Amino acid sequence: MGTLGASPSNNGRGSGAWYQSWTHFRIDRRSPGYCRVTFDHPPINTITATTVEELAELVGLIEQDADLNVVVFDSANRDFYLAHYDTEHGPARTAALPAGLTGMHAWLDLLVHLSRAPVISIASIRGRVRGAGSEFVLACDLRFASREHAQIGQFDVGTGVVPGSGPTARLPRLVGRGRALEILLVADDFDGPRAEQYGYVNRAIADDELDDEVNEIASRVARFDHDAIARTKSHVDRVTLAPIASFLDA
């Protein structure tokens, strides 16, 4: 994966690496400035070592693409956006993945890189998003959720586990201390309207309008100047993102 703040290279519609055979998601490069990534790992889009490895490679491509302005992450499964880690099939392989350039585990490393990439990342949420899935959408810049068909939450404490990979650092900055503690310690799911009310997502959108509205937003951003987007996001990041050191004990 590219280093934080690395100089991007001009890939046009994307180098051949974009179009390799990905295992857990599909790529739709709709224009030089707009890419859509669709999670497609039946039956419930669990996060495995393969998911982490592929997403790390994808985030590296995103960081290095000077034409790309916006990437949308959605799901082919209406019932599951991203589930938690797969704890039944090879969890040791996920745990054994080498650290990334930040010195953190590969999963946390790619989330840090995604949140600081010089593009706008959008989570278009339909279905269930729990645990590590929630960690992923929290690392995205914008989150839009189906009003009728989204469930999002951090269940970790309910199972006796301290939430890892950044929600304790990201949520308080996003929703405030009290609501962050409620999300983390009550460990319940939020539907679209409640997630919008708390600031967990930017906006809850009627399910039959979600795809079109997110596409309209992404298509608009895709036409803007890349440098203006990257520099503006960098300025906002300096005062809103948790410092990387705060994730080291996550």
Side-chain angles (χ1 to χ4, degrees):
M1 187 191 297
T3 59
L4 290 175
S7 298
S9 59
N10 194 324
N11 291 343
R13 290 184 68 87
S15 70
W18 283 91
Y19 301 103
Q20 65 180 282
S21 180
W22 303 98
T23 307
H24 288 182
F25 49 79
R26 304 193 305 266
I27 299 290
D28 179 10
R29 188 67 179 262
R30 298 192 173 187
S31 74
Y34 177 9
C35 181
R36 203 164 186 110
V37 179
T38 300
F39 295 115
D40 191 8
H41 176 216
I44 61 172
N45 286 344
T46 50
I47 296 169
T48 69
T50 298
T51 316
V52 176
E53 289 170 334
E54 290 192 337
L55 278 175
E57 184 172 358
L58 178 66
V59 170
L61 292 174
I62 289 169
E63 287 181 305
Q64 297 299 312
D65 195 322
D67 294 304
L68 186 64
N69 285 346
V70 59
V71 56
V72 174
F73 294 93
D74 63 9
S75 173
N77 187 333
R78 288 184 57 84
D79 295 322
F80 290 90
Y81 179 85
L82 270 182
H84 192 50
Y85 283 125
D86 187 339
T87 57
E88 296 181 2
H89 303 95
R93 182 170 167 241
T94 303
L97 288 172
L101 292 171
T102 60
M104 296 179 287
H105 182 268
W107 173 246
L108 184 50
D109 181 83
L110 79 86
L111 297 182
V112 168
H113 277 265
L114 177 62
S115 65
R116 288 167 167 78
V119 305
I120 301 300
S121 53
I122 300 176
S124 181
I125 303 166
R126 178 181 284 114
R128 295 173 177 83
V129 186
R130 294 189 176 118
S134 171
E135 294 161 12
F136 179 84
V137 302
L138 287 171
C140 289
D141 300 311
L142 306 177
R143 289 157 294 281
F144 300 104
S146 166
R147 183 170 295 278
E148 302 88 356
H149 205 64
Q151 296 285 332
I152 180 170
Q154 293 283 166
F155 64 82
D156 312 70
V157 169
T159 64
V161 176
V162 176
S165 303
T168 54
R170 296 188 193 278
L171 272 169
R173 288 171 168 81
L174 193 64
V175 305
R177 181 177 184 273
R179 285 177 168 175
L181 288 173
E182 180 182 348
I183 292 167
L184 294 167
L185 300 182
V186 178
D188 201 0
D189 289 338
F190 281 47
D191 61 16
R194 181 58 61 85
E196 177 187 47
Q197 177 188 4
Y198 273 45
Y200 206 155
V201 301
N202 290 71
R203 198 184 313 169
I205 301 170
D207 188 73
D208 61 356
E209 299 174 5
L210 177 65
D211 295 336
D212 287 344
E213 191 159 335
V214 170
N215 183 62
E216 182 178 346
I217 293 168
S219 297
R220 177 180 174 84
V221 173
R223 298 191 295 267
F224 294 165
D225 179 75
H226 177 85
D227 186 59
I229 290 172
R231 291 173 63 190
T232 300
K233 181 179 171 183
S234 177
H235 288 312
V236 173
D237 287 351
R238 288 193 192 109
V239 296
T240 59
L241 288 183
I244 291 175
S246 68
F247 295 99
L248 293 175
D249 294 327

